Amino acid sequence: MAEAKQALRVWSRSDTAGLRFRAAVEADMPFLSRLYASTRFEELAATPWTEAQKAEFLGMQFQSQHAHYRKHYPEAHWLVVERAGQDIGRLYIERWPSQHRIIDIAFLPHHRRQGYGRALLSDLVDEAWLAGKSVSVHVEKNNPARRLYLGLGFAVVEDKGVYDLMACAPPGSGAG
């Protein structure tokens, strides 16, 4: 808990961008499901499915992802990102002894490309580096945010097929 309190002190870029964070609760599930669906919109646009079929598929995929994350990241912080009193995104992060793992970060479409992701990721890197740790995240190879990660100093450390494991290590650590 002391580490988490220290972490909040270094989130200056997110604070300047007006971002606030709160623990996700059961009442946030509809928002989180809509947010997830928004990240898959382009992918499903080419399918011949009806809107109802797409919605049903995305609902099942969200529930599956949610269950997987909860099972494999039991100590994670499940955060809703707010700005100006509105829910605009999510940040799921687990702080391990060796590194901080970004499980998921996403913003609603009209809040993307506004600098919020850069602010948040820069703060997460600072937080980890202050603790002497790297930050890692799985990124789909075709994810447009990949350029942002590369620009912030993340590098591919492992090819996972559709995803790459990317990490940003403190200077001089020798880690990837």
Side-chain angles (χ1 to χ4, degrees), residues 104-125:
D104 195 271
I105 181 173
F107 291 96
L108 290 171
H110 54 283
H111 293 283
R112 296 176 192 153
R113 294 176 175 71
Q114 303 294 317
Y116 306 142
R118 175 176 296 281
L120 179 52
L121 289 167
S122 296
D123 287 348
L124 288 169
V125 168

Side-chain angles (χ1 to χ4, degrees), residues 36-49 54 57-58 61 140 142 162-163:
Y36 171 81
S38 78
T39 69
R40 305 280 308 271
F41 178 76
E42 288 182 29
E43 177 185 353
L44 292 181
T47 67
W49 297 348
K54 290 177 186 178
F57 173 77
L58 290 170
Q61 289 288 297
E140 287 183 340
N142 64 351
V162 174
Y163 296 90

